[in-house]
Amino acid sequence: MIYSFGANNYFSFKDGFQVSLEFNSKVPKSISNSRKVSTILGIKGGNASGKTNILKCLQFLSYFVARSFNQPPEGPLFLNPFFTSKKPTDIYIDFESNGIRYIYELSATKTKVIREAIYKKISRKTLIIERKNDELKSRVAELSDLDLITLRSNASLVDTALQYNMKGLGQDLHNIKSFFHKFKGNVSSLGVMEDSYVYDYNVISEYYYKNNDALEFAKNIIKSCDLGISDVEIFETENEKGEPRYFPMFLHPFELNGSKSEKLTYWDESDGTTALYRRLYQYWTVLTSGGALIMDEFDTNYHPALLPQILDLFINKETNPKNAQFIFTSHNLEIMDYLGKYRTYLVSKESGESFCYRLDEIPGDIIRNDRSISGLYRDGKLGGIPNL
């Protein structure tokens, strides 16, 4: 689980940002659900305020920590500072993986790592490994085998070390890489990706065909949202090369000339239904793996009444037994009333520089339980709105 994360000199955040998902003692149990960390977090703000940059930070960490060794040795880091700043970008994340809490810190430019460090938090915060540039400067005794590896300026220490398949490294590096491998969503290190790039219709259909629990999960939500659908079936056929191909059919019941139902293809369905079909595959994989789903404008193509149902999947311990987290942006105003002040961040921008804050950080009693948050936001009393 992610406890908090942040960055300095990162895209539009010149002086940095810090986002916390931790609940303090003031949070009602009806909100915390007896958890110490929130499993949902909404980010609001005007267009181009910097909302997506916060999500890009998480996906950059996912790529860099777990997959950066796959890049060519001379490749870039996909890391952008504030405009033309020559200073390094600093990023950190405080998280828990397999019951162990870690802090990961990175200082880097567009082309190379300046510093990388990992801390382990048990009874106290303990540095377990640190690099500066391409040299290993510190490590605990259990990681002595790392003295033998060659670090690359554009690849993480974690991903590089695990390429050597050393048996004496213990579990910490594996825990960390596994954690970042479980980040999913529609955001890359550099921006938002179209559904057509993120979701492969054929791969998703095959997955549903071979995983009945996942199909039932998606089917039940689709049926509750599309009043014209009573069932979804996945069929197997072959393409012109004799290779297996999978496709869904959506059953629509009706009464006409003795016929009581008709099956429609994916291409005959509404944008909202096909969006659900695609994206619920990713919701399912994150909920069952305990990862993090990072979505920009997750409500696109969805009716507003559906949004609480999606969020409930992550709040309810029965549907989210592994404490998966959902971090997203949305332009829907009413979602703020559902999230409340402890699970909503606002992002504003002044003179090209972004800054953000959680609603419970606003001083005074302007936000009360008997007052609509969306109404206050709409009236410009909380900030984070476009200047129209």
Side-chain angles (χ1 to χ4, degrees):
M1 294 187 74
I2 300 170
Y3 283 79
S4 66
F5 65 97
N8 285 315
N9 191 32
Y10 184 74
F11 282 91
S12 59
F13 288 91
K14 178 183 177 183
D15 290 332
F17 70 88
Q18 180 173 323
V19 171
S20 174
L21 289 90
E22 288 192 77
F23 289 134
N24 57 38
S25 58
K26 297 179 180 180
V27 179
K29 288 187 177 180
S30 59
I31 297 293
S32 67
N33 202 17
S34 299
R35 288 183 171 109
K36 294 182 180 180
V37 181
S38 179
T39 52
I40 59 172
L41 186 74
I43 302 171
K44 296 284 297 177
N47 288 336
S49 61
K51 304 185 301 298
T52 306
N53 290 337
I54 293 176
L55 302 186
K56 286 193 289 190
C57 179
L58 287 173
Q59 286 293 16
F60 169 79
L61 285 169
S62 174
Y63 145 75
F64 183 73
V65 176
R67 296 183 294 277
S68 55
F69 191 83
N70 294 331
Q71 291 293 319
E74 67 280 0
L77 264 69
F78 304 111
L79 186 66
N80 284 341
F82 181 77
F83 287 103
T84 57
S85 173
K86 301 300 181 183
K87 296 180 180 179
T89 296
D90 299 319
I91 302 177
Y92 92 94
I93 184 168
D94 181 350
F95 64 98
E96 183 178 306
S97 179
N98 291 329
I100 301 174
R101 192 163 172 179
Y102 300 94
I103 296 176
Y104 175 86
E105 296 179 351
L106 175 70
S107 180
T109 67
K110 287 183 176 182
T111 59
K112 65 178 183 178
V113 173
I114 305 299
R115 177 180 178 270
E116 190 178 9
I118 300 171
Y119 298 83
K120 195 172 179 178
K121 295 181 72 174
I122 302 177
S123 57
R124 59 187 178 86
K125 178 180 174 182
T126 302
L127 179 67
I128 63 172
I129 191 166
E130 181 183 28
R131 73 183 277 191
K132 291 186 178 179
N133 296 307
D134 293 342
E135 294 184 22
L136 193 62
K137 290 296 184 180
S138 176
R139 48 91 183 145
V140 293
E142 304 93 276
L143 296 175
S144 59
D145 285 354
L146 294 182
D147 295 343
L148 303 175
I149 73 171
T150 300
L151 295 174
R152 274 178 28 190
S153 60
N154 68 341
S156 75
L157 187 156
V158 174
D159 199 24
T160 302
L162 294 179
Q163 301 299 321
Y164 287 80
N165 294 317
M166 297 176 175
K167 295 182 179 179
L169 290 181
Q171 285 302 308
D172 286 325
L173 299 185
H174 291 280
N175 285 345
I176 294 167
K177 183 168 181 175
S178 172
F179 174 79
F180 287 106
H181 253 308
K182 295 176 183 178
F183 283 26
K184 308 292 182 183
N186 65 350
V187 181
S188 74
S189 303
L190 296 178
V192 182
M193 298 179 288
E194 295 290 336
D195 270 20
S196 59
Y197 184 83
V198 180
Y199 307 104
D200 187 318
Y201 161 82
N202 295 309
V203 170
I204 292 171
S205 297
E206 179 179 1
Y207 185 86
Y208 283 145
Y209 181 84
K210 296 179 177 180
N211 295 272
N212 190 63
D213 287 345
L215 176 59
E216 288 298 316
F217 166 81
K219 183 192 304 185
N220 290 333
I221 295 176
I222 290 171
K223 286 163 57 178
S224 69
C225 300
D226 190 322
L227 301 180
I229 294 176
S230 63
D231 199 7
V232 181
E233 297 180 63
I234 311 294
F235 293 88
E236 181 181 19
T237 185
E238 292 182 353
N239 62 19
E240 62 276 5
K241 297 180 180 179
E243 299 168 335
R245 175 176 168 267
Y246 304 89
F247 63 94
M249 296 295 288
F250 300 81
L251 186 66
H252 290 257
F254 67 93
E255 293 281 351
L256 180 64
N257 300 328
S259 179
K260 294 187 176 181
S261 66
E262 181 71 23
K263 291 178 179 177
L264 299 181
T265 70
Y266 172 90
W267 312 107
D268 296 321
E269 293 295 339
S270 68
D271 289 343
T273 297
T274 55
L276 274 174
Y277 178 83
R278 294 189 301 269
R279 298 171 193 166
L280 286 172
Y281 153 81
Q282 205 169 57
Y283 284 76
W284 169 260
T285 57
V286 171
L287 286 166
T288 53
S289 70
L293 181 62
I294 302 159
M295 296 286 289
D296 189 69
E297 297 185 18
F298 92 101
D299 52 329
T300 303
N301 299 120
Y302 293 164
H303 189 280
L306 171 61
L307 308 188
Q309 183 179 354
I310 296 293
L311 298 184
D312 279 343
L313 293 172
F314 290 84
I315 295 173
N316 191 318
K317 291 186 176 181
E318 292 185 4
T319 53
N320 187 15
K322 295 189 177 181
N323 294 317
Q325 291 173 296
F326 185 25
I327 302 172
F328 60 90
T329 69
S330 169
H331 282 300
N332 181 276
L333 294 183
E334 285 67 31
I335 202 70
M336 300 175 72
D337 297 322
Y338 183 87
L339 292 169
K341 63 182 180 179
Y342 302 106
R343 300 180 298 197
T344 304
Y345 266 82
L346 287 186
V347 183
S348 291
K349 180 183 279 187
E350 293 182 4
S351 301
E353 181 178 352
S354 299
F355 57 94
C356 69
Y357 45 93
R358 205 165 78 174
L359 288 186
D360 63 321
E361 297 174 359
I362 297 176
D365 61 352
I366 187 173
I367 301 178
R368 303 195 307 258
N369 292 332
D370 61 347
R371 181 179 291 178
S372 166
I373 295 178
S374 61
L376 293 170
Y377 176 76
R378 187 182 292 108
D379 292 340
K381 296 180 180 180
L382 304 178
I385 62 172
N387 295 320
L388 301 177

